[in-house]
Amino acid sequence: MTPPRDCSFCHLRRTVYLVVSLLLLFATVSQDIAVGQESAPAVPVAPAPPSQLTATDHPHDAGTAIDLRWTVSPDDLPDRRPRVVTGYEIIRSQADGSEREALNRVGFDVTEYTDRTCVRNVPYLYEVVALGTGDLRSEPARLEQPV
């Protein structure tokens, strides 16, 4: 005579098997959906600003040029695609903030610019802004004191 089977044990075994099977199926389907889905385009964000802007008198120029140097934006990464930083804009104003004008735009990964349009003995303030896609612009890196 064979002993009677414990039905609760059989039921538990079938339930565990069913739960594990469903989890594996769910994981497989989720992975297939994730692989087949196109990711939504990222919302463009303004780039982080450049930093450490410095200005020095350009040598042997009779006081009509200023050399600017800065550290690129942390978003200006050479291998990043799409590029977050597309370039930099150099802005100059009089020491009192008047006559603010964009002097030039330079490419990404550029860290210096020489302003050769200065008027001798006129103090200037400079800003450098990182440019992004569209019309996105960073906060400026600014000189603390006019040069």
Side-chain angles (χ1 to χ4, degrees):
M1 176 190 248
T2 58
R5 289 182 117 182
D6 182 1
C7 289
S8 61
F9 177 74
C10 294
H11 179 69
L12 177 64
R13 203 170 82 190
R14 279 193 303 265
T15 303
V16 168
Y17 176 79
L18 180 62
V19 168
V20 169
S21 297
L22 287 173
L23 287 172
L24 289 173
L25 179 64
F26 178 75
T28 303
V29 169
S30 297
Q31 184 178 9
D32 289 345
I33 290 171
V35 169
Q37 263 185 348
E38 290 184 25
S39 59
V43 176
V45 177
S51 60
Q52 301 175 340
L53 176 61
T54 62
T56 55
D57 183 44
H58 187 79
H60 315 294
D61 68 336
T64 59
I66 300 288
D67 293 327
L68 303 172
R69 288 185 177 73
W70 60 89
T71 300
V72 296
S73 163
D75 291 328
D76 192 348
L77 303 171
D79 297 331
R80 189 161 180 185
R81 299 289 184 266
R83 289 204 65 89
V84 174
V85 175
T86 58
Y88 295 91
E89 185 172 60
I90 295 90
I91 301 162
R92 179 182 74 189
S93 64
Q94 300 285 327
D96 64 2
S98 66
E99 298 185 39
R100 190 171 188 271
E101 65 176 317
L103 294 178
N104 203 354
R105 289 185 176 194
V106 296
F108 56 84
D109 201 31
V110 173
T111 60
E112 55 188 45
Y113 175 78
T114 299
D115 177 7
R116 298 182 186 279
T117 63
C118 300
V119 175
R120 187 179 177 147
N121 295 324
V122 174
Y124 295 105
L125 286 172
Y126 290 91
E127 300 177 4
V128 176
V129 176
L131 303 173
T133 57
D135 291 332
L136 294 173
R137 305 163 62 82
S138 74
E139 291 295 316
R142 291 187 172 105
L143 284 182
E144 295 296 320
Q145 299 293 322
V147 297

